[in-house]
Amino acid sequence: MSIFDKYAPLQMRVDMMMKIGQDALGLRFDDIINATRGRIEGREILLAGTNNYLGLTFDEDCMAAAQKAVTDHGTGTTGSRVANGSYAEHIELEAALAEHLGMPSCIVFTTGYQTNLSAISGLAGDKDVIFMDADAHACIIDGTRLTGASTIRFRHNSPEDLDKRLRRQGEIEGGHALVVIEGLYSMFGDVAPIDEFVEVTHNHGGYLFIDEAHSYGVFGETGCGLAEQQGVLDKVDFISGTFSKSLASVGGFCASRHPEFELLRKVMRPYMFTASATPANICAARAAVEKVKTGGHLRDNLKLRGAQLHKGLTEMGYDLCAEAGPVIAVRRPNEAVAAMEWNWLIENGVYVNLAVPPGTPQSSSLLRISLSAAHNEADINIILKAFSDLKDKQGELMAGMAAKMQAAQ
Ligand code: PMP
């Protein structure tokens, strides 16, 4: 008996993956050349799975801000903001995000994951009830686990189901309802009807928390996200986001229309007991916020590229999980086929994400594409050509996979 025995089923899945090709959870890039190209095993590859929605990771101003931050303040912060103090740049970034979102309070964190962990665990106490979308991201689920609150899941993207469950719950004695949803859902690329969620939540006296990790920078006139696009930004109670997608850095933020949110800095354990974001990360994100505000042209191109890819894949007969957008997920029949095709795409110069259960809704196996404003029309044509070739090669690939599996037995 070993402490690792419980992972035997996982080991079998990994072994199956390795028979088919590369370890999807351990892929190595030898180089990232720019926002749309990388290198794997000496070969250049088109990046179509990075969540680099605005393509700002190689933006000159963002890079210069990060470089200057290292020169001015060094490489690390060496401690938490509570124990060791904040750098002026942490506070300036909070002010910039608060102003952009039109909210009186904003707190920045070291990662997006830690943001939701901190904010949800800080907001909900023993007597509160958290209502969470069925497809909630892992960090929302993990955040609820740090609270003493009871948790109720409602049907994905269904304000009607939320309404029913809030009604069934009735008065919460000594506590409140905290409703947690996302803007753009990262796996299928579908979007929430935030305006309807605002109405239902507030009708029942609850608070609405939206994770706009995949939608901040991407939607809305000034890039504030889907709540802005749907005209309800000022009504949302809490908006969280990450620096690791549109903001071209690493870190996260949570903003609120309630100034009392500031007090949570003194209770959120994942905020208090971890080191603060590095100067380079903070300053790159600060420069990226300015790009987001004036990034209408980036959002326009991202939209165009999403429409181009969605149309092309639909015409080829691929089963897509949502309308056109920056995330396009292609549904595959099972994990083995998806893994085989993912490997084939890498060998043929296109990197997408292999997304399989338990990280996917409806236990689906997906080839997930995320687009960038840095992609041009020719890049999308390269992706389309790869998916077209993949279709033509189906028979050959299936036979190859069967042979590989057999040889390994
Ligand atoms: N929220 C959502 C919806 C996400 O998809 C992710 C990560 N992909 C996060 C939060 C966490 O963000 P980060 O990777 O910056 O920690």
Side-chain angles (χ1 to χ4, degrees), residues 42-176:
R43 280 176 291 116
E44 194 168 301
I45 190 159
L46 192 155
L47 303 174
T50 58
N51 300 325
N52 194 356
Y53 296 122
L54 298 186
L56 295 176
T57 51
F58 281 80
D59 177 90
E60 277 180 16
D61 296 330
C62 296
M63 286 166 67
Q67 282 155 357
K68 182 171 183 320
V70 172
T71 306
D72 290 352
H73 304 299
T75 51
T77 58
T78 69
S80 102
R81 295 177 63 183
V82 177
N84 302 69
S86 296
Y87 288 42
E89 285 79 2
H90 289 122
I91 293 162
E92 282 161 20
L93 177 56
E94 289 174 341
L97 282 162
E99 192 199 5
H100 184 209
L101 292 160
M103 295 189 169
S105 170
C106 180
I107 302 177
V108 305
F109 300 84
T110 312
T111 71
Y113 177 88
Q114 180 220 7
T115 300
N116 283 344
L117 220 57
S118 307
I120 293 171
S121 66
L123 286 166
D126 291 3
K127 298 204 167 87
D128 300 314
V129 181
I130 300 171
F131 292 79
M132 174 174 66
D133 187 281
D135 288 358
H137 187 267
C139 59
I140 294 173
I141 299 169
D142 294 353
T144 68
R145 288 180 180 158
L146 290 184
T147 73
S150 49
T151 302
I152 294 172
R153 295 182 90 146
F154 57 89
R155 195 148 18 94
H156 174 57
N157 265 351
S158 173
E160 296 77 24
D161 194 45
L162 172 66
D163 187 44
K164 197 172 76 189
R165 287 169 196 272
L166 279 163
R167 206 169 323 117
R168 200 181 293 158
Q169 175 69 39
E171 181 83 9
I172 302 170
E173 230 184 276
H176 295 89

Side-chain angles (χ1 to χ4, degrees), residues 5-320:
D5 283 354
K6 55 184 167 290
Y7 296 117
L10 175 62
Q11 186 62 55
M12 277 169 63
R13 276 180 84 185
V14 173
D15 291 346
M16 194 261 300
M17 278 287 171
M18 299 306 287
K19 280 171 202 161
I20 294 171
Q22 308 219 34
D23 176 6
L25 299 182
L27 187 66
R28 167 185 158 143
F29 287 96
D30 297 323
D31 189 16
I32 298 294
I33 302 163
N34 57 40
T36 65
R37 295 295 187 283
R39 202 169 280 119
I40 295 178
E41 289 171 2
R43 280 176 291 116
E44 194 168 301
I45 190 159
L46 192 155
L47 303 174
T50 58
N51 300 325
N52 194 356
Y53 296 122
L54 298 186
L56 295 176
T57 51
F58 281 80
D59 177 90
E60 277 180 16
D61 296 330
C62 296
M63 286 166 67
Q67 282 155 357
K68 182 171 183 320
V70 172
T71 306
D72 290 352
H73 304 299
T75 51
T77 58
T78 69
S80 102
R81 295 177 63 183
V82 177
N84 302 69
S86 296
Y87 288 42
E89 285 79 2
H90 289 122
I91 293 162
E92 282 161 20
L93 177 56
E94 289 174 341
L97 282 162
E99 192 199 5
H100 184 209
L101 292 160
M103 295 189 169
S105 170
C106 180
I107 302 177
V108 305
F109 300 84
T110 312
T111 71
Y113 177 88
Q114 180 220 7
T115 300
N116 283 344
L117 220 57
S118 307
I120 293 171
S121 66
L123 286 166
D126 291 3
K127 298 204 167 87
D128 300 314
V129 181
I130 300 171
F131 292 79
M132 174 174 66
D133 187 281
D135 288 358
H137 187 267
C139 59
I140 294 173
I141 299 169
D142 294 353
T144 68
R145 288 180 180 158
L146 290 184
T147 73
S150 49
T151 302
I152 294 172
R153 295 182 90 146
F154 57 89
R155 195 148 18 94
H156 174 57
N157 265 351
S158 173
E160 296 77 24
D161 194 45
L162 172 66
D163 187 44
K164 197 172 76 189
R165 287 169 196 272
L166 279 163
R167 206 169 323 117
R168 200 181 293 158
Q169 175 69 39
E171 181 83 9
I172 302 170
E173 230 184 276
H176 295 89
L178 178 68
V179 175
V180 188
I181 62 171
E182 292 169 39
L184 180 124
Y185 281 82
S186 62
M187 283 296 130
F188 281 4
D190 52 337
V191 298
I194 296 177
D195 45 356
E196 295 174 43
F197 277 114
V198 166
E199 203 181 319
V200 170
T201 304
H202 289 170
N203 277 347
H204 290 274
Y207 290 78
L208 184 63
F209 183 114
I210 309 182
D211 178 356
E212 294 243 36
H214 292 264
S215 30
Y216 176 83
V218 172
F219 296 99
E221 182 77 27
T222 69
C224 284
L226 272 169
E228 181 187 28
Q229 179 161 299
Q230 295 180 17
V232 290
L233 183 58
D234 58 337
K235 299 196 175 63
V236 177
D237 297 287
F238 308 98
I239 291 217
S240 72
T242 172
F243 302 164
S244 69
K245 305 184 195 314
S246 288
L247 289 177
S249 183
V250 171
F253 68 87
C254 186
S256 177
R257 68 191 182 100
H258 305 283
E260 305 93 310
F261 183 58
E262 284 297 310
L263 192 60
L264 267 62
R265 292 180 194 269
K266 297 176 174 48
V267 296
M268 297 182 292
R269 292 169 63 86
Y271 171 83
M272 296 166 71
F273 296 104
T274 200
S276 61
T278 68
N281 284 332
I282 289 293
C283 292
R286 176 72 187 85
V289 169
E290 293 310 310
K291 304 276 166 172
V292 165
K293 288 199 229 168
T294 55
H297 59 297
L298 300 175
R299 288 184 278 281
D300 287 348
N301 188 47
L302 186 58
K303 202 168 167 185
L304 269 179
R305 303 287 71 96
Q308 184 191 348
L309 185 67
H310 195 278
K311 180 167 179 286
L313 291 174
T314 305
E315 282 168 3
M316 286 176 210
Y318 278 107
D319 179 9
L320 307 182

